[in-house]
Amino acid sequence: MNPSLSELQEQATQAIAGADDLNALDQVRVSYLGKKGAIKALLKQTGALAPEERRPFGQAVNALRDAVTTELEARKATLQAQAEAARLEAGWLDVTLPADTPRVGKEHPITGLLREVTDHFHGLGFTVASGPEIEDAFHNFDALNIPANHPARDVWDTFYTEEGGIPRTHTSSVQIRTLEKATLPLRIIAPGKCFRNETIDATHLAAFNQCEGLFIDKNVTVGHLKATLEGLVERLMGYKVPTRFRPAFYPFVEPGLDLDIECIFCKGSGCSICKHSGWIEVIPCGMVHPNVLRACGHDPEEWNGFAFGMGFDRMVMLRYGIDDLRRLYDGNLELVRGL
Ligand code: DAH
């Protein structure tokens, strides 16, 4: 390279490296590449050269111009990045940055299940009934065919308020509240809170949720009960899960039954969750005891029906694969798988 050209390039390189902000760099650019800049001036000299020198000189100046342009661009990028970093450091808001994904709320799984159960039973002509959470002995026990001195009362670990009220131990009390006022036939579900003096662990809470169901009509059979509850578990589990009914004792039904579904975790082959039985108990139920109808002023010769009392929290556990009920009340549902 022509010595004056290589000198010029050397100078330009130093000037570019020495420019420590974008304004200074632009001045360097103008002084080399501008209309009155050093490189333009060189090109103007071309005409004064001998014809055979013009071409190589022109090429050399062009190469110099390209090299200086590349260096200027590189330095400009560096200075821009530095300026950007300094602005961010100073708390400058860059509106071109991608936004954070907002954290949105989600429906609580218990609310979700409640909505779905309610929707399912609305489709079958049921309405939603409710009753007080603090009950009296008549509605929580007596009218449900559980006499005062009967050992069955001890099955429910009952709390008592100082005034002698009974935080209801089950939603079955709503059967009584509703039957007392009802004209038959009748189809209701009654979701709600219940309270028992339980030691709290992964599968027991002292305040928990149940959903009662009551269907009273003429000539109701176990077939109606079976079809209704099988339809419900299919809807809630999302597939035609195998079921079985086992005899069980509840004073307010005769016969009393427990509906089991095939264990959804091991598909019946046996695992720790189903205690190696292959089945999980989900809905206690039965045909309404004539004494219950009688206690509420209805004639059991004319009317009969079925009832059930689904453990709501347990159903939520199964549906969402939650292994510890306490998680539902943690406040941090992100811990719950599948939500
Ligand atoms: N109330 C019972 C309990 O809490 C559950 C139950 C069993 C409700 C059978 C019913 C039923 O309506 O028919 O343990």
Side-chain angles (χ1 to χ4, degrees), residues 4-18 28 32 38 64 68 71:
S4 63
L5 293 194
S6 58
E7 232 166 71
L8 193 60
Q9 171 146 21
E10 186 66 24
Q11 281 170 18
T13 302
Q14 278 177 18
I16 290 168
V28 175
Y32 286 91
L64 172 61
V68 170
E71 283 179 34

Side-chain angles (χ1 to χ4, degrees), residues 113 233 236-237 310-319:
L113 182 67
V233 290
L236 296 185
M237 291 301 142
M310 173 167 59
F312 221 69
D313 309 81
R314 188 178 171 75
M315 193 57 102
V316 170
M317 277 178 103
L318 293 175
R319 234 161 80 101

Side-chain angles (χ1 to χ4, degrees), residues 144 155-156 169-172 175 194 196 208 210 212-213 249-250 252-253 256-258 283-288 306-310:
L144 285 162
V155 174
W156 290 274
T169 59
H170 49 193
T171 45
S172 300
Q175 288 191 33
C194 309
R196 288 183 202 175
F208 55 97
Q210 280 190 346
E212 197 77 12
F249 174 71
Y250 302 98
F252 30 89
V253 280
L257 302 163
D258 278 331
I283 310 182
C285 53
M287 302 305 287
V288 175
F306 65 81
F308 60 91
M310 173 167 59

Side-chain angles (χ1 to χ4, degrees), residues 164-190:
I166 299 174
R168 66 181 177 199
T169 59
H170 49 193
T171 45
S172 300
S173 55
V174 186
Q175 288 191 33
I176 306 305
R177 293 270 167 199
T178 312
L179 277 172
E180 282 175 331
K181 302 180 296 215
T183 47
L184 303 180
L186 168 83
R187 297 172 199 190
I188 54 133
I189 56 165

Side-chain angles (χ1 to χ4, degrees), residues 12 16 18 23 39 62 94 111 168 180 188 194 213 215 232 255 268-270 295 298 307 318:
I16 290 168
N23 278 341
I39 291 175
N62 282 341
D94 182 352
T111 312
R168 66 181 177 199
E180 282 175 331
I188 54 133
C194 309
F215 183 109
L232 175 64
S269 62
H298 298 289
L318 293 175

Side-chain angles (χ1 to χ4, degrees), residues 123-146:
L124 297 175
F126 286 62
T127 54
V128 175
S130 63
E133 288 180 357
I134 305 294
E135 268 299 0
D136 52 43
F138 178 77
H139 294 90
N140 198 81
F141 292 125
D142 301 333
L144 285 162
N145 198 32
I146 314 170

